[in-house]
Amino acid sequence: MSIFDLSIAAAAKALKAKEFSAVELTTAYNEAVAALNPRLNAYITVTPELALEQARAADSRIADGSATPLTGIPLAMKDLFCTESVRTTAGSSILEPFIPPYESTVSAKLKAAGAVMLGKANLDEFAMGSSNTTSHYGAVENPWKRLGSDAKLVPGGSSGGSAAAVAARIALAATGTDTGGSIRQPASFTGLAGIKPTYGRCSRWGVVAFASSLDQPGPMARNVEDNALLLNAMAGFDQKDSTSANREVPDFCLALGRGVKGLKIGIPREYRLEGTNPEILALWDKGIEWLKAQGADIVNISLPHTKYGLPVYYIVAPAEASSNLARYDGVRFGKRVDGEDLIDLYERTRAEGFGPEVKRRIMIGTYVLSHGYYDAYYLKAQKVRNLILRDFTDAFGSVDAILTPTAPSAAFGLDEKMDDPVTMYLNDVFTVPASLAGVPAMSVPAGLSAEGLPLGLQVIGRHFDEETVFAVSAAIESAAGFSALPELRAK
C-alpha cells in the first residue's frame, strides 16, 4: 500500500509506531502537491515550508507522548478560513492581497491538535457556486474521469478544491464549509465522505462569511472514521461566535461501531423528483436495502415543504450575502481601486473585485431586501424556512435518521451548465433543505455511475445528533465497500 492510500487513523498509527516520521509524510505530500496541483488547481496558495515546520513540531510531540490522532496529519485548508500570516482570498480578486493577522477558531483547533497545513484550497468565489468554476484563481479539475473520456469534470462546489485535493491524494483530509451543500455535493462528486455538522457545532469565527445563518464548517476525508476524528478536533463552543452552541462535544468515533439495528430510517417521498437520473434512484434503493439487511426499520415519511427549499435558499442566502459583502469597499482591507471620490472608489473596487456569480447574488439579495419587496420575498422566505424546519422536527418524532441521495447526478463537465445559473443551482436540490433546517447531514460514497463516476448517499440526523449520522453512515460505508480511485492521483 502506498503512503498516499493511508487513512488518518492508519497514518496516525504508523507515525506512532515510527514507521515513518511526520516530516517524511509531509515531504511526500508536498512533492505530490507540486506534481499534481498545476494540473488540478486544487490549491490557491501552497505552504510547503510552513508544513515542514509544523511536521517537525509534530515529530517532537509524537516523541514526547503528547500527540493527538491528528498530530502530523497533512491537511488542506479551504481558503475561506483565515490563517494567521498566510494569505486568505476566499477565491476572490477583492481579497487577493489579504493576509490575516489572526487564526480562525477551526484552523486554530486543528493546529493545536498538531495537524499540518499543506496550503489553502481553491473554492468558488466567496463559496458561491456548485462547481468550483467561479473562483478568480481558475476552475478546479476533478481527478475522476468518465470511462473512455478525457473530458475535464467539475469537482463540485464550493469546497471543490478541498475535495479534489483529498481525492487526488494531495491532502490526507481537508476542511470545507457548507452553506447549501458545499461539503456534501463535492464529496459525492469525488468519492469522499463529508459531513455538514449541526449549525453551531463548529465555530464560524474567522471564516469569511457568505450567508451567516447557513454557513457551517465541517470536514472532508477518505472515509467516515476520518471525518469523526476531524470533527472531534474542529467542534466546540466558542465565545467569539454568537451562533456557536454551548454543547458538550462527544467522541464521535465511539458511534462508528454502534450499528443500525432497531433504528428507524426515514425515506422522504418528496426526494423522488421527476427527472432524477435513474442511477441515483437505484442507488438510493440499494442503500435502503443495505440498512434493512443490517436491522434498521425503513419508514416512509413526508417532508412536504422540500419543494420550496431551493427558492427559499436563493432568497435567504443572497440576502445575507449582500449584507456580508458590503464590507468589501476598498477602504479597510483587501483590494482598492482609486476613484474620483469615495463613491467612485467603492464602485470601481467592487466592480473590479467581484466576479459575475458574486455580483449576481449581491444583486438578487439587494433586490429582495429592498423597500417594497422585503415582505413579498425575504419575509415570506423566512416563514417557509420555518415550515421546512418543522417538517424535519415532525419527521424526527418518528425516525432516527433520514436517507436520501446527495446530488441529482454525478460530476458534470467543466464546460457544461456554465451559462445556465438556474440549472447549476439545481445541483443543491437534495442538500439545501438540511441546511435551511440546520440539521447535520453527511454524504457517503456508495457506488459508481455507468460512466464510472462516484455517487453518494446522504444521511440526515436530528439537531446535535451527529453520532447517529456517523453510525448510519458507517453502516452504509461498510455495505457499499466503495474502493474505487480516480486516475489522477498521487501513487
Side-chain angles (χ1 to χ4, degrees):
M1 176 184 284
S2 164
I3 196 172
F4 298 108
D5 292 326
L6 296 175
S7 65
I8 290 177
K13 184 178 179 181
L15 285 167
K16 186 177 180 180
K18 306 293 196 302
E19 294 177 23
F20 48 76
S21 68
V23 167
E24 289 171 330
L25 180 62
T26 298
T27 298
Y29 271 93
N30 277 342
E31 291 173 353
V33 171
L36 282 175
N37 194 56
R39 167 70 183 270
L40 297 174
N41 199 31
Y43 290 91
I44 292 173
T45 303
V46 293
T47 56
E49 296 84 6
L50 175 62
L52 285 172
E53 178 186 325
Q54 293 174 339
R56 285 189 286 270
D59 279 330
S60 297
R61 289 184 64 171
I62 293 167
D64 67 23
S66 64
T68 78
L70 296 183
T71 300
I73 301 299
L75 307 179
M77 191 72 64
K78 185 176 181 179
D79 202 18
L80 211 61
F81 293 85
C82 288
T83 42
E84 185 177 3
S85 302
V86 178
R87 185 174 69 145
T88 300
T89 71
S92 180
S93 168
I94 207 163
L95 278 177
E96 189 167 13
F98 178 54
I99 298 178
Y102 57 89
E103 193 82 25
S104 76
T105 296
V106 165
S107 58
K109 282 175 172 285
L110 291 170
K111 183 186 289 188
V116 172
M117 187 177 79
L118 297 168
K120 305 298 290 292
N122 205 343
L123 67 151
D124 281 308
E125 185 179 7
F126 283 103
M128 297 181 193
S130 303
S131 59
N132 218 144
T133 56
T134 71
S135 172
H136 171 70
Y137 304 92
V140 175
E141 182 180 348
N142 192 329
W144 288 82
K145 297 288 183 185
R146 292 177 177 135
L147 293 174
S149 171
D150 197 43
K152 294 181 178 181
L153 305 178
V154 303
S158 65
S159 305
S162 295
V166 180
R169 300 333 197 219
I170 55 175
L172 217 168
T175 60
T177 61
D178 194 308
T179 304
S182 291
I183 288 173
R184 291 161 287 160
Q185 185 244 29
S188 179
F189 279 10
T190 56
L192 303 177
I195 184 169
K196 179 198 83 69
T198 306
Y199 180 80
R201 176 65 90 179
C202 294
S203 172
R204 295 187 303 108
W205 193 84
V207 180
V208 178
F210 164 17
S212 299
S213 74
L214 294 161
D215 298 343
Q216 185 57 202
M220 309 174 75
R222 313 266 172 86
N223 58 37
V224 174
E225 180 184 19
D226 284 0
N227 275 270
L229 289 167
L230 286 160
L231 192 56
N232 281 342
M234 295 168 65
F237 176 61
D238 181 10
Q239 289 184 331
K240 297 192 291 289
D241 176 9
S242 63
T243 63
S244 177
N246 193 357
R247 306 268 304 220
E248 182 181 350
V249 179
D251 183 348
F252 298 113
C253 292
L254 297 179
L256 299 176
R258 277 189 349 196
V260 295
K261 188 173 183 179
L263 291 183
K264 291 181 170 59
I265 306 298
I267 308 299
R269 63 176 64 94
E270 290 80 9
Y271 278 61
R272 292 190 181 273
L273 299 175
E274 185 178 345
T276 300
N277 187 324
E279 290 181 323
I280 303 294
L281 298 178
L283 183 68
W284 189 14
D285 290 336
K286 190 179 291 186
I288 292 169
E289 292 305 314
W290 289 335
L291 293 177
K292 190 186 296 185
Q294 295 181 61
D297 296 324
I298 304 303
V299 181
N300 292 319
I301 62 170
S302 177
L303 300 171
H305 295 94
T306 291
K307 61 183 177 182
Y308 303 117
L310 273 181
V312 167
Y313 177 82
Y314 281 102
I315 291 173
V316 173
E320 295 183 10
S322 72
S323 297
N324 279 325
L325 270 60
R327 69 193 70 174
Y328 303 105
D329 53 16
V331 175
R332 289 159 290 186
F333 56 89
K335 177 177 286 189
R336 172 184 294 183
V337 180
D338 291 329
E340 296 178 3
D341 53 33
L342 186 61
I343 299 299
D344 193 40
L345 179 147
Y346 287 164
E347 291 175 347
R348 289 174 183 268
T349 296
R350 291 169 67 81
E352 186 175 314
F354 293 140
E357 181 61 29
V358 173
K359 290 176 182 175
R360 181 183 295 117
R361 298 200 192 193
I362 289 174
M363 293 295 289
I364 292 171
T366 303
Y367 177 80
V368 301
L369 290 176
S370 63
H371 180 70
Y373 296 100
Y374 179 88
D375 288 348
Y377 291 102
Y378 184 72
L379 196 59
K380 186 172 291 185
Q382 291 288 19
K383 290 177 179 178
V384 178
R385 182 180 184 178
N386 282 332
L387 295 176
I388 292 170
L389 170 59
R390 191 176 70 185
D391 285 350
F392 279 101
T393 303
D394 291 346
F396 285 123
S398 58
V399 300
D400 300 296
I402 295 170
L403 181 69
T404 76
T406 303
S409 71
F412 49 89
L414 274 173
D415 57 350
E416 299 170 16
K417 306 185 183 183
M418 297 302 107
D419 299 324
D420 188 348
V422 174
T423 300
M424 187 71 76
Y425 295 165
L426 288 171
N427 285 295
D428 298 329
V429 66
F430 294 141
T431 54
V432 154
S435 294
L436 291 168
V439 292
M442 184 170 200
S443 181
V444 185
L448 294 174
S449 71
E451 295 179 315
L453 298 177
L455 301 172
L457 290 175
Q458 178 180 219
V459 179
I460 306 172
R462 296 185 180 94
H463 289 102
F464 298 104
D465 188 17
E466 286 86 358
E467 291 165 286
T468 298
V469 172
F470 277 118
V472 177
S473 297
I476 291 172
E477 180 181 64
S478 175
F482 186 90
S483 61
L485 295 172
E487 180 60 33
L488 288 173
R489 69 181 193 279
K491 300 176 184 178

